[in-house]
Amino acid sequence: MPHQPITVAGVEVFPLCDAVGPMGEAIRRPLAELFPGADHGDSDEWVLHFHCYLLRDAAGRTVLVDTGVGPEGSPASSWAPVPGALGAELARVGVAAEEIDAVVITHLHSDHASGAVIDGLPAFPNARHVLQRAEIETAAETVLDTVVRPLGERVHVVEGRADVFPGIRILHAPGHTPGHQVVQVGDLVLTGDLVLHPVQLADPSVTYLYDDDPGLAVVTRTKLLEQVEAERGMIATAHFAEPFTRLGG
Ligand SMILES: [Zn+2]
Ligand SMILES: [Zn+2]
């Protein structure tokens, strides 16, 4: 059952379910190790969804948020379920890769960035690819070689807050990675890996094993979630089973 779109502040938001599955052996850990101190009840296996989102504003401009796990053999294939279904999901909502105007990569982890460059070529050839300067400056050479450099002049570097198009805004949300960013549309925030698992909604101070700077991630997560909650807004998550979660309702 495909995930259903919503419209927020005049922008259509299509969840694209790129993949579903547990982490592979390379990085799989019990939930109690991934999210120490959280109440996991009886569950110990984490079955992740891998969501990208397509935004289409009233003028028909399209923004893809994250590019998924990529094809067989992609950098994510060591631990994530590949191949990703992003291409099929875009086809399902009627948008061709060439029609994407902008791509926002929330951060350069392999399950968010691996669909941007396929076989050494940009998968979204007419899109500018928006990344935070801090993310590029701290990226590993292999990531620069496989994702950033092949995009060439399509890379659009921003620092902090920036508008992709009017009403579609990027906010720097560091901690998970130094240049992690989220996207805000009206009262909706597309959270990338700001929030990985629902236990972090119950308690935003729950850290994640693979956060670069867990302390900073807690500060960023707590502040942003408080803002969304105060507005009774929604988040659109990368890895929850359901794409949209309303807060403070
Ligand atoms: Zn899904
Ligand atoms: Zn990540």
Side-chain angles (χ1 to χ4, degrees):
M1 177 75 178
H3 299 308
Q4 298 302 307
I6 62 172
T7 300
V8 180
V11 176
E12 294 173 280
V13 182
F14 298 89
L16 308 172
C17 202
D18 186 46
V20 179
M23 283 179 170
E25 298 290 338
I27 65 167
R28 188 186 303 172
R29 300 284 184 278
L31 277 171
E33 286 180 33
L34 291 171
F35 301 97
D39 179 3
H40 295 288
D42 293 334
S43 63
D44 199 38
E45 180 160 60
W46 186 20
V47 177
L48 297 85
H49 286 229
F50 296 79
H51 293 147
C52 308
Y53 291 87
L54 182 81
L55 312 179
R56 185 163 59 200
D57 73 7
R61 293 174 294 211
T62 52
V63 179
L64 178 64
V65 180
D66 282 333
T67 64
V69 298
E72 208 83 55
S74 81
S77 56
S78 64
W79 70 273
V82 295
L86 177 60
E89 284 285 89
L90 282 170
R92 178 176 66 80
V93 302
V95 176
E98 295 74 20
E99 293 174 319
I100 306 281
D101 297 307
V103 174
V104 174
I105 300 176
T106 59
H107 62 302
L108 285 168
H109 280 169
S110 60
D111 55 324
H112 296 256
S114 288
V117 174
I118 296 180
D119 295 332
L121 296 172
F124 306 100
N126 300 315
R128 65 192 151 101
H129 291 61
V130 186
L131 279 156
Q132 289 285 326
R133 182 174 302 283
E135 193 69 1
I136 292 178
E137 286 180 344
T138 55
E141 275 300 312
T142 53
V143 175
L144 293 174
D145 277 342
T146 54
V147 178
V148 178
R149 289 184 183 122
L151 292 172
E153 292 182 347
R154 294 174 188 81
V155 175
H156 177 76
V157 181
V158 297
E159 278 187 81
R161 179 182 287 222
D163 284 347
V164 184
F165 291 117
I168 300 176
R169 173 166 292 180
I170 284 169
L171 306 173
H172 184 205
H176 181 65
T177 63
H180 184 274
Q181 58 188 356
V182 300
V183 181
Q184 185 174 38
V185 179
D187 66 358
L188 173 74
V189 176
L190 296 92
T191 47
D193 281 355
L194 176 80
V195 184
L196 278 295
H197 189 283
V199 294
Q200 295 179 305
L201 291 185
D203 181 357
S205 73
V206 169
T207 57
Y208 177 52
L209 180 64
Y210 301 122
D211 282 337
D212 279 354
D213 183 338
L216 179 58
V218 166
V219 171
T220 302
R221 182 164 47 249
T222 303
K223 184 170 147 224
L224 257 165
L225 290 179
E226 276 177 359
Q227 285 172 7
V228 175
E229 196 167 348
E231 293 183 8
R232 291 187 158 71
M234 298 178 84
I235 56 173
T237 51
H239 298 301
F240 290 14
E242 288 298 326
F244 302 109
T245 306
R246 185 166 294 284
L247 304 185

